[in-house]
Amino acid sequence: MKIRHLALAGALMVSAFASQAFAQAKDYLTIQLKDGPVVIELRPDIAPKHVARLKELAAEGAYNNVAFHRVIPGFMAQTGDVKYGNMEKNFQAGMAGMGGSDKPDLKAEFSKVPFERGTVGMARSQSPNSANSQFFIMFAPGSFLNGQYTVVGKVVKGMENVDKIKKGSEADNGTVSDPDRMISVKVGQ
């Protein structure tokens, strides 16, 4: 009888560990770039609605082939305009960065997590509650963004690939001609 209890307890522990590992695997996004993958650890603990949106759009394939339309050297690379930024479908270079998804905008989820190299934040308009699908990855610290933009995660693998994204013109607010793209984006590692 004791052996059965031990076996059951062991099976429950394995099951709990597997469930936890599965849940943790879902808290990552993997972006395939031309130079290799980028793994982002998501932070649902500080921005649950924004993280849910990123995962939802990634699972739908909405981010596949979306341009890095604004890339400012020494600052950040912005992408995620699923309306105008898809380089395989209805790409509009002049409008990229002006669109989002067909889902409603999100209420800000500001936190005390600082914007450092590799931090991923949600792009928005002047309104704090206007984030939708666009996000950016920091090349360098940007403390002036702290508490002003929603942090959704951090690059944990492949930052060297982010560094290779084609840069835009600083004089033109980072607009990129013939931009690089997110080849594919998936939930998990």
Side-chain angles (χ1 to χ4, degrees):
M1 193 66 160
K2 281 186 177 184
I3 292 176
R4 277 191 184 155
H5 286 299
L6 287 174
L8 181 59
L12 288 174
M13 282 181 58
V14 168
S15 176
F17 179 75
S19 293
Q20 183 180 16
F22 181 71
Q24 288 175 344
K26 287 187 164 190
D27 289 335
Y28 290 91
L29 280 184
T30 299
I31 302 171
Q32 184 63 46
L33 301 179
K34 69 179 182 353
D35 291 303
V38 175
V39 178
I40 297 168
E41 182 176 13
L42 298 171
R43 295 289 308 268
D45 58 317
I46 59 171
K49 291 179 181 160
H50 288 77
V51 166
R53 173 68 54 83
L54 290 175
K55 289 165 60 172
E56 179 182 15
L57 291 170
E60 292 173 359
Y63 285 132
N64 297 346
N65 294 303
V66 172
F68 281 93
H69 64 273
R70 183 171 176 240
V71 184
I72 301 174
F75 179 32
M76 60 89 212
Q78 185 173 332
T79 186
D81 183 344
V82 300
K83 183 174 184 178
Y84 301 118
N86 187 319
M87 296 181 72
E88 296 291 317
K89 184 175 82 177
N90 302 322
F91 180 64
Q92 297 179 41
M95 293 294 293
M98 304 298 285
S101 71
D102 59 0
K103 299 168 189 341
D105 289 347
L106 297 166
K107 187 171 189 260
E109 295 177 299
F110 298 152
S111 68
K112 294 183 190 267
V113 175
F115 279 87
E116 302 170 334
R117 176 172 163 76
T119 298
V120 180
M122 291 298 285
R124 62 172 177 81
S125 69
Q126 291 294 94
S127 168
N129 301 319
S130 62
N132 186 289
S133 65
Q134 294 186 47
F135 61 93
F136 57 92
I137 304 171
M138 300 296 290
F139 290 124
S143 61
F144 58 94
L145 300 175
N146 293 349
Q148 306 295 315
Y149 287 80
T150 299
V151 172
V152 292
K154 183 165 181 131
V155 173
V156 293
K157 197 183 303 178
M159 192 63 198
E160 67 279 5
N161 298 325
V162 174
D163 289 333
K164 295 175 187 172
I165 294 170
K166 184 178 180 184
K167 310 301 186 280
S169 163
E170 286 185 62
D172 198 17
N173 200 25
T175 300
V176 185
S177 60
D178 189 27
D180 286 343
R181 68 182 81 188
M182 296 186 287
I183 296 167
S184 66
V185 182
K186 70 175 186 174
V187 178
Q189 293 189 66

